[in-house]
Amino acid sequence: MLQKQANTLRFLSADMVQEANSGHPGAALGLADILTALSYHLKHNPKNPSWLNRDRIVFSGGHISALIYSFLHLSGYDISLNDLKNFRQLYSKTPGHPELITPGIEIATGPLGQGLANAVGFAMAAKKAAKLLGEDLINHNVYCLCGDGDLQEGISYEACSLASLHKLDNLIIIYDSNGISIEGDVKIAFNEDVSLRFKAQGFEVFEIDGHDFKQIDEALKKAKRSLKPSLIIAKTTIAKNALELEGSHHSHGAPLGSELIQRAKKASGFDSNKTFFVPDDVRLRFESAIELGDLEEAKWKAELEKSDKKDLLERLLNPNFDEINYPDFDFSKDMATRDSNFEILNAIAKNLEGFLGGSADLAPSNKTELKGMGDFVEGKNIHYGIREHAMAAINNAFARYGLFLPFSATFFVFSEYLKPAARMAALMKLKHFFIFTHDSIGVGEDGPTHQPIEQLSTFRAMPNFLSFRVANAYENLKAWQIALKSEFPCAFILSRQKLKALSKPIFGDVENGAYLLKEDVNPKFTLLASGSELALCMSVAEKLNENNIGCNVVSMPCFELFEKQDEAYKQRLLKSKVVGVEALHSLELYKFCDELYIMQSFGESGKDSDVFAHFGFNTEKLYEYLLRL
């Protein structure tokens, strides 16, 4: 029966790829036995994919999507046979790589390695949830199916190092070791001893035949009992049961061909003339997940009714952002925006139980320590070490878990290390907050290797993402209030150095993305800037006024929000000759500006004031530049 279930998964997957004339059948056929055996261990409810105490299963190799959708369909999720037939088609529930539009998909994994780190994040989130709500309510496991590609990506090492550090005994990684990559035998690029690697990282390691149901079952039982995170190394054959293509790298990313699929079906005892066929007894076996899932959820709800944690759970599920007791800033005081952000972070964390996060070993510099709130798992401070990429992917899983509001912090220039995970957060519209300090050439003495130049432009270019480069505590406070209620992930780009106090908006506000900070009746110029360059623009505007030249100043803390304003609002702000001023290479400002006064090179090492002056970011040089226009 197990073999019949597995072959049904195989041939549904092969038919899907063939129908679409596109996809990856090889790994799907190779993993069918493992997924069949795993189905008998999973605790989930197909009729309620968001049930909190369900086991999470993460498919790190999203190219096995045909297998995933076949499994979800057979298990009773809201995925029809027609959905399988529309595999990889526009508007379908079954896209080429898994996305959140598909019921039962826990997280969109995207690039290889992301899903493995996401699984570590889910396991960490479950440990934190159990600490808050009790193990009677949170006691599920996290399973991750990964392949050679996931383990070759550096993020896998970062994430698994943290899994061992936190003794994530609820994490079970199943490694599909089929020895094949797109270019051929995996040994041409990857020959390390994976077992020794994971044992060195503190994992319990099991090695099995990935097509032997008894071995798979026994390994899963042992892994569930282990007091460590587990890795099951499953030796499999790519394109299992696909006749002459079995074991071939040619099966990885192309349809198997109708004629071969027919012969394979016949060899396995299936009707070779039927496509998308599911035997009744197979469907019955898989769909038992519905009744079992309903029963497990009913038992869980009974536990919840007896629990004294119901109110806490409600607050975690539905945080009240309007009741946060924010700091009472003196807006006339000069302050680095990383310092104002520190106070805001701590205020939010004190008011929202689910707000937590950490820094890539930079909390004293990022100013992101949550004072007196302890370290993970008991507390809210997560020490990620120097692991930006894993940090962001792990926090994506925290955001998807359903109870938490995570933040990730590092220097802005090191955001490059986490950009793939930030992009996935944007694609999924996760409530994930990124804190990037040391925002420009103002980093100073650390020099050009640590001075961001092009980074802000790349974040502004990302859909479904808000980037706040704030100029003072007022903008910082407003930005957080917007971010907490936003449907998008948000970044806060903050200064190391103190910034001069500024007046409040004259027209518009932070929620508009840009607003008038200074206005003249007949301006010759409008200076548009963000962050540390606002004070410079105000100084230049005053000097221009002294010489009877009118000048408006516009603060633009959020480019993306300003883009969304109507034309009337934009025209109210952008009068006469508009000059964009940022100590970054911000070519996107041409969307609003006639001229740009920006960086055209990497930075230099020196005191921040000297570096700013060297590149022309002082009153005299900007004033002289404007007179030449």
Side-chain angles (χ1 to χ4, degrees):
M1 187 62 220
L2 290 170
Q3 192 63 66
K4 192 174 182 181
Q5 287 181 260
N7 283 337
T8 301
L9 286 173
R10 283 191 174 94
F11 296 132
L12 278 177
S13 301
D15 286 342
M16 289 170 66
V17 175
Q18 194 64 41
E19 180 77 12
N21 196 29
S22 170
H24 304 78
L29 273 64
L31 274 168
D33 295 324
I34 288 172
L35 193 52
T36 297
L38 179 59
S39 70
Y40 286 85
H41 290 264
L42 285 177
K43 179 175 66 177
H44 61 130
N45 188 354
K47 295 305 181 188
N48 183 11
S50 61
W51 171 42
L52 183 60
N53 198 38
R54 68 192 181 277
D55 287 341
R56 269 58 168 188
I57 179 167
V58 179
F59 300 92
S60 194
H63 55 277
I64 63 166
S65 57
L67 178 66
I68 301 167
Y69 302 143
S70 298
F71 169 74
L72 292 173
H73 164 71
L74 290 176
S75 299
Y77 286 84
D78 185 20
I79 301 172
S80 69
L81 208 56
N82 279 335
D83 291 324
L84 300 190
K85 293 176 181 178
N86 284 322
F87 179 52
R88 287 183 161 235
Q89 304 309 303
L90 193 60
Y91 310 125
S92 78
K93 281 186 186 177
T94 50
H97 286 72
E99 300 175 36
L100 300 186
I101 58 173
T102 308
I105 294 300
E106 297 291 354
I107 196 161
T109 50
L112 290 176
Q114 286 287 319
L116 201 153
N118 296 152
V120 173
F122 278 134
M124 289 176 67
K127 288 292 185 184
K128 182 62 179 175
K131 184 64 65 174
L132 290 170
L133 299 172
E135 293 183 4
D136 289 341
L137 292 179
I138 305 295
N139 49 41
H140 65 84
N141 289 312
V142 177
Y143 297 92
C144 177
L145 270 65
C146 74
D148 294 299
D150 297 289
L151 297 189
Q152 288 174 56
E153 292 286 0
I155 189 174
S156 69
Y157 179 87
E158 294 182 26
C160 291
S161 176
L162 284 165
S164 175
L165 177 74
H166 293 298
K167 298 179 174 61
L168 301 180
D169 58 351
N170 57 344
L171 175 66
I172 300 171
I173 300 171
I174 303 170
Y175 164 37
D176 175 28
S177 179
N178 62 27
I180 294 294
S181 65
I182 292 175
E183 295 180 356
D185 192 313
V186 73
K187 289 180 182 177
I188 64 175
F190 185 60
N191 70 344
E192 66 188 54
D193 189 323
V194 172
S195 176
L196 283 179
R197 166 182 161 183
F198 275 81
K199 285 176 181 176
Q201 286 194 294
F203 274 65
E204 192 92 50
V205 178
F206 308 93
E207 297 191 57
I208 64 169
D209 177 347
H211 302 300
D212 185 314
F213 292 108
K214 185 175 180 181
Q215 288 189 37
I216 300 167
D217 183 63
E218 285 299 318
L220 287 168
K221 287 176 180 175
K222 290 176 182 177
K224 287 159 73 174
R225 292 194 298 266
S226 176
L227 300 179
K228 300 177 180 180
S230 297
L231 175 74
I232 298 173
I233 300 175
K235 296 293 183 182
T236 63
T237 301
I238 194 169
K240 180 70 173 175
N241 290 6
L243 304 178
E244 63 266 25
L245 281 181
E246 185 176 282
S248 169
H249 71 276
H250 295 294
S251 69
H252 170 78
L256 301 175
S258 298
E259 187 270 337
L260 185 144
I261 294 172
Q262 284 182 316
R263 288 192 287 114
K265 287 177 180 178
K266 185 176 181 180
S268 296
F270 277 61
D271 189 332
S272 61
N273 294 314
K274 291 182 178 179
T275 60
F276 295 95
F277 174 66
V278 180
D280 290 340
D281 53 351
V282 167
R283 187 175 293 282
L284 189 64
R285 283 294 182 99
F286 276 114
E287 285 188 348
S288 66
I290 299 171
E291 188 174 348
L292 292 170
D294 277 339
L295 178 61
E296 287 290 344
E297 185 172 358
K299 287 160 59 178
W300 181 82
K301 286 179 177 177
E303 285 293 332
L304 179 60
E305 283 304 311
K306 295 186 294 183
S307 173
D308 60 357
K309 302 291 187 179
K310 283 191 291 185
D311 289 343
L312 173 57
L313 177 58
E314 177 59 27
R315 292 197 302 276
L316 289 167
L317 290 169
N318 299 291
N320 190 336
F321 302 127
D322 295 324
E323 292 186 355
I324 297 172
N325 185 23
Y326 288 107
D328 185 17
F329 288 110
D330 178 358
F331 295 127
S332 66
K333 179 182 175 183
D334 295 352
M335 180 182 280
T337 47
R338 67 171 175 168
D339 290 328
S340 59
N341 197 70
F342 167 76
E343 295 188 36
I344 297 167
L345 271 184
N346 275 268
I348 295 171
K350 285 175 183 175
N351 286 268
L352 300 178
E353 289 93 341
F355 188 85
L356 47 64
S359 171
D361 197 46
L362 289 169
S365 296
N366 295 148
K367 300 290 182 78
T368 52
E369 181 186 357
L370 303 177
K371 288 288 187 180
M373 297 186 204
D375 293 336
F376 183 85
V377 63
E378 289 80 4
K380 293 191 168 197
N381 291 288
I382 306 175
H383 297 284
Y384 280 109
I386 303 90
R387 302 181 182 94
E388 280 91 351
H389 199 176
M391 170 179 67
I394 286 169
N395 277 342
N396 280 348
F398 266 95
R400 271 292 292 166
Y401 190 81
L403 302 180
F404 301 107
L405 296 163
F407 68 84
S408 300
T410 189
F411 287 174
F412 195 25
V413 74
F414 301 148
S415 66
E416 297 296 341
Y417 282 127
L418 58 74
K419 190 69 65 61
R423 184 178 186 274
M424 293 307 297
L427 192 147
M428 291 183 276
K429 297 183 182 179
L430 299 182
K431 204 175 274 289
H432 182 171
F433 308 104
F434 296 87
I435 298 166
F436 300 134
T437 67
H438 298 57
D439 71 327
S440 71
I441 57 173
V443 171
E445 291 89 343
D446 278 342
T449 62
H450 282 52
Q451 294 168 7
I453 298 296
E454 75 281 10
Q455 283 71 26
L456 184 55
S457 294
T458 64
F459 277 97
R460 284 173 172 169
M462 196 184 301
N464 301 345
F465 199 95
L466 300 180
S467 308
F468 293 95
R469 186 172 185 242
V470 296
N472 56 12
Y474 174 82
E475 289 187 355
N476 207 348
L477 189 60
K478 287 277 191 176
W480 267 107
Q481 291 169 345
I482 295 164
L484 285 170
K485 294 183 178 181
S486 173
E487 64 174 324
F488 303 131
C490 300
F492 298 84
I493 295 97
L494 310 168
S495 74
R496 182 191 74 161
Q497 73 278 17
K498 280 188 177 182
L499 303 184
K500 289 186 177 180
L502 299 168
S503 56
K504 286 193 176 181
I506 294 172
F507 177 78
D509 214 322
V510 177
E511 60 263 28
N512 303 113
Y515 62 85
L516 270 173
L517 188 62
K518 179 185 180 302
E519 184 174 31
D520 280 348
V521 176
N522 293 304
K524 181 177 180 181
F525 301 107
T526 292
L527 301 181
L528 181 146
S530 67
S532 53
E533 289 77 71
L534 253 298
L536 167 63
C537 290
M538 290 294 285
S539 172
V540 169
E542 290 171 10
K543 186 161 185 172
L544 288 168
N545 288 167
E546 290 169 4
N547 290 277
N548 298 315
I549 301 172
C551 183
N552 290 354
V553 177
V554 171
S555 174
M556 188 187 65
C558 186
F559 178 92
E560 300 93 330
L561 287 178
F562 188 41
E563 275 189 305
K564 294 177 181 177
Q565 303 307 305
D566 60 36
E567 286 304 310
Y569 184 84
K570 291 174 184 174
Q571 290 173 15
R572 174 75 172 80
L573 267 59
L574 305 176
K575 293 183 177 179
S576 302
K577 185 176 287 292
V578 182
V579 180
V581 182
E582 282 188 334
L584 301 156
H585 193 56
S586 312
L587 292 174
E588 68 278 1
L589 295 187
Y590 272 123
K591 186 163 189 176
F592 305 125
C593 302
D594 303 302
E595 303 285 344
L596 297 188
Y597 195 80
I598 59 174
M599 290 291 295
Q600 300 293 345
S601 69
F602 292 110
E604 293 287 348
S605 179
K607 291 181 180 179
D608 58 344
S609 56
D610 293 342
V611 175
F612 275 121
H614 172 77
F615 287 106
F617 290 93
N618 61 14
T619 302
E620 291 72 23
K621 289 183 179 178
L622 178 54
Y623 175 76
E624 291 169 2
Y625 168 82
L626 292 172
L627 291 185
R628 293 195 298 271
L629 292 179

